[in-house]
Amino acid sequence: VPQGVRITRSSTIMTPDKINIKTFEGFLGQSAVQANGYLGNYMGYGLGLLDSTIVGVFEFTSPNFDVNEWMTEEEESSTVEIEDEEPLEIIPIPTNIDFTLDSKLDKVIYDNMDIDNLTGEILIKDGAIIMKGVDFDLLGGDFGMNGSYDTKDPKHPTFSYDMDIKGMAIKDAYTTFNTVKKLAPIAKNMSGKFNTDFKIEGELDQEMMPIYSTLHGGGIIDLDKA
């Protein structure tokens, strides 16, 4: 992969049926990771057999994982300016991977967000990433989330989120989330905090932006001293 994978320490037991990974320490791109678990059906997958899906179950940890590094190819440039940054691109999720990651990530960098203390179950299966019982801290708010990012049809990728947010600043939501800017521009001039429990789903364009005409969902927003 362009970002590079480096293994600094690994202990495995291999059989024709599966690879049991007792210890894995290394780097995915620039992100340090640790994992243990197993890989099944690795021989068929490695030989490229038709309809062969590699299966894995892992405990996955990282002190600092940079998602942005995996969303678009890095371009060489002597001068970097905000207005010239390349937009994010759709990354198809392979359909022949079936992974379950019991994850604990101390910090995640995604787009313009720094996410802290992420825990939960992340599934990679059938061309989609599915999040179950994922909790994290963002911009002073507590988030609980179930959701998915589905690229089985890479020309029409979809997403869905069921989010429970407590104690997030209204202005932070406006400056961080493009959806808030589009659907609630009044938030730019508001102060205070909010709690919300809502569901939203829709389609993404090829720059990972929501296609607003496809969005639908609902929920409740509690404003605290707005």
Side-chain angles (χ1 to χ4, degrees), residues 192-217:
K193 295 186 177 183
F194 70 94
N195 306 316
T196 183
D197 185 1
F198 73 96
K199 297 180 181 180
I200 188 170
E201 59 185 31
E203 194 172 317
L204 297 169
D205 65 19
Q206 294 302 304
E207 295 182 0
M208 288 290 287
M209 297 296 293
I211 300 176
Y212 293 101
S213 61
T214 69
L215 297 183
H216 58 92

Short mmCIF file of all heavy atoms in Angstrom, two decimals, residues 192-217:
data_model
loop_
_atom_site.label_atom_id
_atom_site.label_comp_id
_atom_site.label_asym_id
_atom_site.label_seq_id
_atom_site.Cartn_x
_atom_site.Cartn_y
_atom_site.Cartn_z
N GLY A 192 -23.43 28.34 23.84
CA GLY A 192 -24.11 27.36 24.67
C GLY A 192 -23.75 25.95 24.24
O GLY A 192 -22.95 25.74 23.33
N LYS A 193 -24.37 24.99 24.92
CA LYS A 193 -24.12 23.58 24.62
C LYS A 193 -25.43 22.87 24.27
O LYS A 193 -26.52 23.40 24.50
CB LYS A 193 -23.45 22.89 25.81
CG LYS A 193 -22.05 23.42 26.10
CD LYS A 193 -21.37 22.61 27.19
CE LYS A 193 -19.94 23.11 27.41
NZ LYS A 193 -19.23 22.30 28.42
N PHE A 194 -25.29 21.67 23.71
CA PHE A 194 -26.49 20.92 23.35
C PHE A 194 -26.26 19.43 23.58
O PHE A 194 -25.14 18.93 23.60
CB PHE A 194 -26.89 21.18 21.90
CG PHE A 194 -25.96 20.57 20.88
CD1 PHE A 194 -26.22 19.32 20.34
CD2 PHE A 194 -24.83 21.25 20.45
CE1 PHE A 194 -25.38 18.76 19.40
CE2 PHE A 194 -23.98 20.70 19.51
CZ PHE A 194 -24.26 19.45 18.98
N ASN A 195 -27.38 18.74 23.78
CA ASN A 195 -27.42 17.28 23.79
C ASN A 195 -28.33 16.86 22.65
O ASN A 195 -29.30 17.54 22.33
CB ASN A 195 -27.98 16.74 25.11
CG ASN A 195 -27.25 17.29 26.31
OD1 ASN A 195 -26.03 17.36 26.33
ND2 ASN A 195 -28.02 17.69 27.32
N THR A 196 -28.03 15.73 22.04
CA THR A 196 -28.90 15.27 20.97
C THR A 196 -28.83 13.76 20.82
O THR A 196 -27.82 13.13 21.13
CB THR A 196 -28.53 15.93 19.62
OG1 THR A 196 -29.44 15.52 18.61
CG2 THR A 196 -27.12 15.54 19.18
N ASP A 197 -29.93 13.21 20.38
CA ASP A 197 -30.03 11.79 20.04
C ASP A 197 -30.73 11.74 18.69
O ASP A 197 -31.91 12.06 18.60
CB ASP A 197 -30.81 11.03 21.12
CG ASP A 197 -30.84 9.53 20.86
OD1 ASP A 197 -30.24 9.09 19.87
OD2 ASP A 197 -31.48 8.82 21.65
N PHE A 198 -30.00 11.39 17.63
CA PHE A 198 -30.61 11.44 16.32
C PHE A 198 -30.04 10.35 15.41
O PHE A 198 -28.97 9.79 15.66
CB PHE A 198 -30.41 12.81 15.66
CG PHE A 198 -29.01 13.06 15.18
CD1 PHE A 198 -28.66 12.83 13.85
CD2 PHE A 198 -28.05 13.55 16.04
CE1 PHE A 198 -27.37 13.06 13.40
CE2 PHE A 198 -26.77 13.78 15.60
CZ PHE A 198 -26.42 13.54 14.28
N LYS A 199 -30.79 10.09 14.35
CA LYS A 199 -30.36 9.17 13.31
C LYS A 199 -30.36 9.92 11.99
O LYS A 199 -31.25 10.73 11.73
CB LYS A 199 -31.30 7.97 13.22
CG LYS A 199 -31.35 7.12 14.47
CD LYS A 199 -32.30 5.94 14.30
CE LYS A 199 -32.37 5.09 15.57
NZ LYS A 199 -33.29 3.93 15.41
N ILE A 200 -29.35 9.64 11.17
CA ILE A 200 -29.30 10.26 9.85
C ILE A 200 -28.63 9.29 8.89
O ILE A 200 -27.74 8.53 9.27
CB ILE A 200 -28.53 11.61 9.90
CG1 ILE A 200 -28.67 12.34 8.56
CG2 ILE A 200 -27.08 11.40 10.27
CD1 ILE A 200 -28.15 13.77 8.62
N GLU A 201 -29.11 9.27 7.65
CA GLU A 201 -28.48 8.43 6.64
C GLU A 201 -28.63 9.10 5.29
O GLU A 201 -29.47 9.99 5.10
CB GLU A 201 -29.10 7.04 6.61
CG GLU A 201 -30.58 7.02 6.33
CD GLU A 201 -31.16 5.61 6.44
OE1 GLU A 201 -30.65 4.80 7.23
OE2 GLU A 201 -32.13 5.34 5.70
N GLY A 202 -27.79 8.70 4.36
CA GLY A 202 -27.83 9.29 3.04
C GLY A 202 -26.69 8.80 2.18
O GLY A 202 -26.01 7.81 2.49
N GLU A 203 -26.46 9.54 1.10
CA GLU A 203 -25.45 9.17 0.12
C GLU A 203 -24.31 10.19 0.17
O GLU A 203 -24.52 11.35 0.54
CB GLU A 203 -26.09 9.15 -1.27
CG GLU A 203 -25.26 8.46 -2.33
CD GLU A 203 -26.02 8.30 -3.63
OE1 GLU A 203 -27.22 7.92 -3.58
OE2 GLU A 203 -25.43 8.55 -4.72
N LEU A 204 -23.09 9.73 -0.18
CA LEU A 204 -21.92 10.59 -0.23
C LEU A 204 -21.50 10.82 -1.68
O LEU A 204 -21.67 9.93 -2.53
CB LEU A 204 -20.75 9.94 0.52
CG LEU A 204 -20.93 9.72 2.02
CD1 LEU A 204 -19.81 8.83 2.55
CD2 LEU A 204 -20.96 11.05 2.76
N ASP A 205 -20.94 12.02 -1.95
CA ASP A 205 -20.39 12.25 -3.28
C ASP A 205 -18.95 11.74 -3.32
O ASP A 205 -18.46 11.14 -2.36
CB ASP A 205 -20.49 13.73 -3.67
CG ASP A 205 -19.65 14.65 -2.79
OD1 ASP A 205 -18.70 14.17 -2.12
OD2 ASP A 205 -19.93 15.86 -2.77
N GLN A 206 -18.26 11.94 -4.43
CA GLN A 206 -16.94 11.37 -4.60
C GLN A 206 -15.86 12.11 -3.82
O GLN A 206 -14.68 11.74 -3.86
CB GLN A 206 -16.59 11.34 -6.10
CG GLN A 206 -17.46 10.39 -6.90
CD GLN A 206 -17.39 8.95 -6.39
OE1 GLN A 206 -16.31 8.39 -6.32
NE2 GLN A 206 -18.54 8.36 -6.07
N GLU A 207 -16.23 13.18 -3.10
CA GLU A 207 -15.30 13.88 -2.22
C GLU A 207 -15.67 13.67 -0.75
O GLU A 207 -15.30 14.46 0.11
CB GLU A 207 -15.27 15.37 -2.56
CG GLU A 207 -14.71 15.65 -3.95
CD GLU A 207 -14.65 17.13 -4.26
OE1 GLU A 207 -15.03 17.94 -3.38
OE2 GLU A 207 -14.21 17.49 -5.36
N MET A 208 -16.43 12.61 -0.48
CA MET A 208 -16.81 12.23 0.88
C MET A 208 -17.71 13.26 1.55
O MET A 208 -17.77 13.35 2.77
CB MET A 208 -15.56 12.02 1.75
CG MET A 208 -14.79 10.76 1.42
SD MET A 208 -15.65 9.25 1.89
CE MET A 208 -15.49 9.30 3.67
N MET A 209 -18.43 14.06 0.75
CA MET A 209 -19.36 15.03 1.29
C MET A 209 -20.78 14.50 1.17
O MET A 209 -21.11 13.84 0.18
CB MET A 209 -19.23 16.37 0.55
CG MET A 209 -17.87 17.03 0.70
SD MET A 209 -17.52 17.49 2.41
CE MET A 209 -18.76 18.77 2.64
N PRO A 210 -21.65 14.79 2.14
CA PRO A 210 -23.04 14.34 2.03
C PRO A 210 -23.74 14.98 0.84
O PRO A 210 -23.55 16.15 0.55
CB PRO A 210 -23.67 14.80 3.36
CG PRO A 210 -22.54 15.11 4.26
CD PRO A 210 -21.39 15.52 3.40
N ILE A 211 -24.56 14.19 0.16
CA ILE A 211 -25.45 14.72 -0.87
C ILE A 211 -26.75 15.08 -0.15
O ILE A 211 -27.53 14.20 0.23
CB ILE A 211 -25.69 13.69 -1.99
CG1 ILE A 211 -24.35 13.34 -2.65
CG2 ILE A 211 -26.67 14.24 -3.02
CD1 ILE A 211 -24.44 12.25 -3.70
N TYR A 212 -26.96 16.37 0.07
CA TYR A 212 -28.00 16.80 1.00
C TYR A 212 -29.41 16.39 0.57
O TYR A 212 -30.28 16.15 1.41
CB TYR A 212 -27.92 18.32 1.20
CG TYR A 212 -26.65 18.72 1.91
CD1 TYR A 212 -25.57 19.24 1.21
CD2 TYR A 212 -26.50 18.52 3.28
CE1 TYR A 212 -24.39 19.57 1.85
CE2 TYR A 212 -25.33 18.85 3.93
CZ TYR A 212 -24.27 19.37 3.21
OH TYR A 212 -23.10 19.69 3.85
N SER A 213 -29.64 16.28 -0.72
CA SER A 213 -30.98 15.89 -1.18
C SER A 213 -31.31 14.45 -0.83
O SER A 213 -32.46 14.04 -0.89
CB SER A 213 -31.08 16.09 -2.69
OG SER A 213 -30.12 15.28 -3.37
N THR A 214 -30.29 13.63 -0.46
CA THR A 214 -30.54 12.24 -0.11
C THR A 214 -30.67 12.02 1.39
O THR A 214 -30.95 10.90 1.82
CB THR A 214 -29.40 11.34 -0.63
OG1 THR A 214 -28.19 11.61 0.11
CG2 THR A 214 -29.14 11.58 -2.12
N LEU A 215 -30.42 13.04 2.20
CA LEU A 215 -30.41 12.86 3.65
C LEU A 215 -31.82 12.71 4.20
O LEU A 215 -32.74 13.39 3.78
CB LEU A 215 -29.75 14.06 4.33
CG LEU A 215 -28.27 14.31 4.03
CD1 LEU A 215 -27.78 15.48 4.87
CD2 LEU A 215 -27.43 13.08 4.29
N HIS A 216 -31.97 11.79 5.12
CA HIS A 216 -33.21 11.75 5.90
C HIS A 216 -32.90 11.13 7.26
O HIS A 216 -31.95 10.38 7.43
CB HIS A 216 -34.32 10.98 5.18
CG HIS A 216 -33.98 9.56 4.84
ND1 HIS A 216 -34.27 8.51 5.65
CD2 HIS A 216 -33.37 9.03 3.75
CE1 HIS A 216 -33.87 7.39 5.08
NE2 HIS A 216 -33.32 7.67 3.94
N GLY A 217 -33.70 11.52 8.24
CA GLY A 217 -33.48 11.05 9.60
C GLY A 217 -34.33 11.86 10.56
O GLY A 217 -35.30 12.51 10.16
#
